Amino acid sequence: MGAITLRVLDGADRGRVFDDLNPPITIGREEGNAIQLNDDRVSRFHVKIQEDNDQLVLTDLESTNGTRVNGEDINIRILKYGDLITVGRSVLVFGSRDEIADRLQTLRDSEAGIINQLDSDEADRVANASSLDFEIGWSDNEDIQATLHILRPPDLPTRLTPGQAAQISEIIEYLHIRVRRLLESATESNNGKVTIDQRQWQALIDLQALLSTYMRKIGDPDS
C-alpha cells in the first residue's frame, strides 16, 4: 500500500491536507506526530495508523477523550476511504478525493437499490460524485451519505493459525445459534409488526453486551 492522505474537515486545523504520508504514522497535539493538531482535547499521541496485511489499521493510543470512526467509539479499526475520524474537536477524512470517489463508485454499483430510492436530482448528484469536485460533506441527505458509510459485512481475517481459526469459528457459531433462537421466538401480528417478549428482549441486550465485551478485549487486550 502506498502513501495515504488525511484531510481535516473540522476543528482548529480545518482545511489542512496531509498527503504522501507513509505508515506507520501518529496523530496528536505534540511535535513528533506526522499529523500535529492544534486541539487541546487531542492527546499528546492520540492514534496510530499502521499497515498490516495490505490493510491500514487505526489504533487509539489510550487517549483521554477517545476516538470515533464514522460516529462510533473505537479502540481499533480497519480504515476505508471516506471514513470520518474524530479526535477531540477535530474531524479528519481518510483518503484523497479520487480514492473516495472510486470507493463511492464501487459502493454505488453494488448498492444500486439505494440510488433508486433517491429523487432524480439527488441521484444525479450521486452519479456525478466520481469527479474531482466530490467532497465528503457535499450533501446533508443521510441516504446519500449512507452510500459511503453503509454497514457492509467485513472480510474475515487471513493468515490465522488453526487454533485462532477454530476460536473464531466457535464464537461465530455461538452468536449464530443465539440469533437464530431470537428470530424463532419472534411473532408477527396482523399489522405486519414483528415482536419479541421481554425475556427475549433482555437476551438481545445481553448479546449486544457480549459483543461489546469482545470488541473491548480485541481493541485493548490488557483491559
Side-chain angles (χ1 to χ4, degrees):
M1 181 170 288
I4 63 177
T5 299
L6 287 152
R7 292 177 287 154
V8 184
L9 298 185
D10 208 354
D13 297 284
R14 180 173 53 195
R16 295 184 67 186
V17 177
F18 300 88
D19 53 12
D20 293 328
L21 300 176
N22 294 308
I25 67 166
T26 56
I27 302 173
R29 72 170 191 271
E30 291 283 311
E31 292 184 6
N33 290 283
I35 298 179
Q36 183 182 4
L37 298 175
N38 183 27
D39 187 335
D40 59 7
R41 292 184 62 84
V42 169
S43 295
R44 294 172 58 249
F45 292 89
H46 200 108
V47 297
K48 181 178 182 179
I49 299 175
Q50 59 189 336
E51 187 175 358
D52 182 63
N53 196 25
D54 295 326
Q55 294 178 314
L56 285 174
V57 180
L58 181 146
T59 305
D60 181 88
L61 300 175
E62 299 183 358
S63 63
T64 301
N65 294 306
T67 302
R68 287 181 291 156
V69 174
N70 301 332
E72 294 291 331
D73 293 321
I74 63 97
N75 290 319
I76 190 167
R77 178 73 172 260
I78 294 174
L79 289 177
K80 298 179 177 63
Y81 296 130
D83 281 348
L84 297 177
I85 305 167
T86 302
V87 291
R89 298 184 179 90
S90 303
V91 181
L92 300 88
V93 61
F94 170 61
S96 67
R97 290 180 175 185
D98 286 348
E99 289 167 337
I100 296 172
D102 288 344
R103 181 177 174 225
L104 188 63
Q105 175 70 51
T106 301
L107 290 173
R108 188 169 66 247
D109 290 344
S110 61
E111 301 291 342
I114 292 177
I115 305 303
N116 293 335
Q117 296 173 9
L118 306 178
D119 62 42
S120 58
D121 290 340
E122 296 289 14
D124 287 342
R125 295 179 72 185
V126 174
N128 294 325
S130 59
S131 71
L132 288 177
D133 291 330
F134 172 75
E135 280 288 358
I136 192 68
W138 58 279
S139 174
D140 292 330
N141 187 305
E142 293 182 358
D143 290 331
I144 298 177
Q145 294 287 0
T147 63
L148 190 61
H149 298 146
I150 190 168
L151 288 175
R152 297 171 60 85
D155 295 330
L156 287 171
T158 57
R159 300 188 302 180
L160 296 174
T161 66
Q164 290 171 330
Q167 282 182 296
I168 290 180
S169 178
E170 186 176 359
I171 290 171
I172 293 176
E173 182 180 8
Y174 171 78
L175 296 173
H176 175 76
I177 291 172
R178 289 200 59 179
V179 170
R180 183 182 65 199
R181 289 176 178 173
L182 286 168
L183 292 175
E184 289 173 347
S185 72
T187 58
E188 185 175 359
S189 60
N190 293 331
N191 61 7
K193 291 185 177 180
V194 176
T195 60
I196 59 175
D197 62 30
Q198 183 66 31
R199 184 173 62 86
Q200 296 302 332
W201 173 253
Q202 291 299 323
L204 184 60
I205 294 174
D206 177 70
L207 185 58
Q208 184 179 21
L210 176 63
L211 289 171
S212 298
T213 301
Y214 282 152
M215 292 166 64
R216 180 71 179 180
K217 288 184 176 179
I218 291 171
D220 186 7
D222 297 327
S223 63

